[in-house]
Amino acid sequence: MRVAMIGTGYVGLVSGACFADFGHVVTCVDKDASKIEKLEAGIMPIFEPGLDSLVEKNVKEERLFFTTEAKDAIRDADAVFIAVGTPSRRGDGHADLSYVYAAAEEIAELMDGFTVIVTKSTVPVGTGDEVEEIIRKKRPDGEFAVVSNPEFLREGAAIKDFKIPDRVVVGTDDERAREVMQELYRPLFLNETPILFTARRTSELIKYAANAFLAVKITFINEMADLCEKVGANVQEVSRGIGLDGRIGKKFLNAGPGYGGSCFPKDTLALTKTANDHNSPVRIVDTVVEVNAARKKAMAEKVIAAMGGDVKGKTIGVLGLAFKQNTDDMRDAPSLDIIPALQAAGAKIRAYDPEAMDEAAHLLSDIEFAKSAYDAVQDADAMVIITEWDQFRALDFERIKEALSTNIVVDLRNIYSPDDMAARGFKYTSIGRPSI
């Protein structure tokens, strides 16, 4: 099949490359000429494991193309995916749909023959209706169907999530559109992937409900971690104890500094806005948003307390800046709250992240960026782990001990064992476990 992907951000690029790898012919469209030039040269705009080789392979085999000109791509397409950004709108937290609506206008002008228009971007309930109205107004006699097909990609594991998903959700009542979507995802039938067809508004809400529920799980275990610290319990054992219950499940029960990234923060805000607009507030999610924001700020206080209550003039070696491992995404990363708070308290920051330092340089000021984890902690007064990159999981602690000017380690991801760290001679602070 022929696919046009409008937008070459995280969702559009990954989805386009994976559809091409399924055997479809995909043209990714973006108005940013410099981004298209880089993609044609094999330079990825984001870090995602395996994406560069997947793009290279499908470009070479002439199934994946990049362009700034949408005309031919849309005219020839069986399905046109809208995969543009929907950032949180300033002031009310609602999703900014201006890019989605602009894409709909362009598609309406250029589509030729029956076209399935698919919203892949995360959009509030009812957006599909508005997209359909925009297109119908411009093309009253046009043959088209607007479909919701939300993405459930985890940054750092997006290719696997696309090719071996837990489920595919498609929102449409149009039989022709259903047939097109079944053909697009036909390779997944071999793996017996559940493909759930629903009404369009239901599909739109499924995406927000899923992310909100995961945000609730993360925030719940973080609050349990705080309680563990007060009563002398171990949050990792609590997590395992409840996670073995099949009704709860073990995923997203790792205590840490709070959730961040491109999805959970903006999607929880958008869901609460939609719920309030319809006079059906989601109070649990309202609280999760509030608690998570406070938690990220509280992590700086945890570091300061571990350093004796005063960090003025002290150097802190920070390991990890991205919101999670295997990505360079800094959107709503805990580091963006923790580091400025430490700086406001008088600390100097030297930081290292394997992929996110270029992006972090635009968002954080007065930071010294290091060449390695060991360089980051050289002569520092404490080491703080913010992101759980694999390369931080087996550090040479003899080398760390020699580099640090103290023995203070604050692990906000619970990578290490308190007993092991005590045996190595460190004053070790983690999340939801006894400090040693």
Side-chain angles (χ1 to χ4, degrees):
M1 302 194 78
R2 303 192 77 86
V3 175
M5 190 69 63
I6 310 301
T8 59
Y10 182 82
V11 173
L13 184 55
V14 171
S15 300
C18 287
F19 273 133
D21 211 46
F22 283 169
H24 303 303
V25 177
V26 180
T27 302
C28 292
V29 182
D30 201 292
K31 294 186 181 300
D32 187 336
S34 64
K35 182 186 283 190
I36 293 298
E37 287 176 9
K38 289 178 181 177
L39 283 167
E40 289 179 326
I43 301 170
M44 298 300 104
I46 57 171
F47 174 75
E48 178 64 33
L51 182 60
D52 51 355
S53 58
L54 189 70
V55 168
E56 181 183 10
K57 170 190 172 186
N58 285 282
V59 167
K60 183 177 180 181
E61 295 177 5
E62 298 184 346
R63 289 193 299 268
L64 182 60
F65 302 89
F66 300 101
T67 184
T68 58
E69 298 297 327
K71 182 177 180 180
D72 291 342
I74 292 174
R75 183 191 62 199
D76 298 336
D78 299 295
V80 181
F81 283 77
I82 299 175
V84 296
T86 55
S88 293
R89 195 164 63 194
R90 288 186 179 181
D92 62 5
H94 199 271
D96 181 350
L97 298 175
S98 58
Y99 300 112
V100 172
Y101 296 152
E105 292 270 4
E106 186 171 31
I107 293 165
E109 292 177 358
L110 300 174
M111 67 183 188
D112 184 17
F114 178 70
T115 304
V116 177
I117 299 151
V118 188
T119 50
K120 197 71 172 168
S121 303
T122 300
V123 295
V125 177
T127 301
D129 298 351
E130 295 174 20
V131 168
E132 182 174 343
E133 185 177 340
I134 288 170
I135 297 172
R136 181 64 66 197
K137 186 175 181 180
K138 189 171 284 285
R139 295 286 296 275
D141 300 324
E143 288 189 281
F144 68 94
V146 176
V147 174
S148 168
N149 177 215
E151 55 86 14
F152 300 97
L153 307 178
R154 295 170 299 162
E155 294 188 48
I159 293 171
K160 179 182 177 182
D161 284 350
F162 194 98
K163 291 187 171 186
I164 314 174
D166 294 326
R167 78 292 202 196
V168 173
V169 177
V170 178
T172 183
D173 293 320
D174 187 287
E175 188 56 37
R176 287 190 295 176
R178 181 185 178 114
E179 291 174 2
V180 168
M181 297 304 290
Q182 283 180 318
E183 183 61 24
L184 278 172
Y185 283 107
R186 187 171 57 83
L188 297 183
F189 283 96
L190 299 174
N191 297 328
E192 299 183 349
T193 298
I195 299 185
L196 177 64
F197 284 92
T198 74
R200 191 165 59 202
R201 283 185 169 228
T202 301
S203 173
E204 291 168 340
L205 185 55
I206 285 171
K207 167 67 176 183
Y208 280 106
N211 277 356
F213 189 81
L214 295 175
V216 168
K217 285 189 76 173
I218 293 169
T219 305
F220 174 83
I221 201 63
N222 283 340
E223 290 206 307
M224 287 299 102
D226 291 343
L227 182 57
C228 284
E229 292 177 11
K230 299 293 186 183
V231 303
N234 186 319
V235 72
Q236 288 183 312
E237 294 172 4
V238 170
S239 176
R240 179 169 170 76
I242 64 176
L244 288 170
D245 187 325
R247 297 167 300 176
I248 297 173
K250 63 183 180 180
K251 294 182 178 179
F252 287 83
L253 287 177
N254 296 317
Y259 63 75
S262 62
C263 293
F264 290 0
K266 75 178 183 66
D267 290 355
T268 48
L269 284 172
L271 178 60
T272 59
K273 177 64 167 61
T274 297
N276 290 331
D277 286 349
H278 288 80
N279 197 30
S280 182
V282 283
R283 295 184 181 90
I284 291 173
V285 184
D286 285 334
T287 302
V288 163
V289 171
E290 180 184 339
V291 170
N292 188 68
R295 180 170 191 80
K296 289 191 281 189
K297 291 179 172 60
M299 291 299 101
E301 295 300 322
K302 191 176 190 71
V303 173
I304 293 169
M307 297 179 68
D310 184 11
V311 295
K312 190 172 183 179
K314 295 180 179 178
T315 298
I316 299 174
V318 170
L319 304 189
L321 297 167
F323 89 94
K324 63 180 284 189
Q325 63 174 332
N326 294 331
T327 181
D328 59 354
D329 197 339
M330 287 290 298
R331 284 174 287 186
D332 282 290
S335 62
L336 296 179
D337 287 294
I338 298 168
I339 288 175
L342 292 173
Q343 291 173 320
K348 299 176 182 178
I349 304 296
R350 188 187 306 124
Y352 171 73
D353 187 286
E355 296 293 338
M357 290 192 291
D358 287 347
E359 183 63 24
H362 301 299
L363 302 170
L364 295 165
S365 58
D366 300 322
I367 287 184
E368 179 185 350
F369 291 104
K371 297 178 181 178
S372 69
Y374 302 104
D375 183 34
V377 301
Q378 185 64 47
D379 298 322
D381 297 288
M383 179 178 87
V384 177
I385 300 173
I386 296 181
T387 312
E388 69 280 27
W389 284 91
D390 283 347
Q391 63 181 261
F392 301 155
R393 294 179 182 272
L395 294 168
D396 181 345
F397 276 101
E398 289 303 315
R399 194 172 168 187
I400 294 291
K401 187 181 290 185
E402 290 178 6
L404 282 172
S405 62
T406 71
N407 65 344
I408 299 172
V409 172
V410 181
D411 179 1
L412 300 181
R413 296 290 183 172
N414 289 353
I415 293 175
Y416 292 99
S417 159
D419 290 339
D420 288 346
M421 293 299 286
R424 295 174 185 273
F426 288 96
K427 180 185 175 184
Y428 177 75
T429 300
S430 58
I431 300 287
R433 302 182 298 179
S435 296
I436 297 177

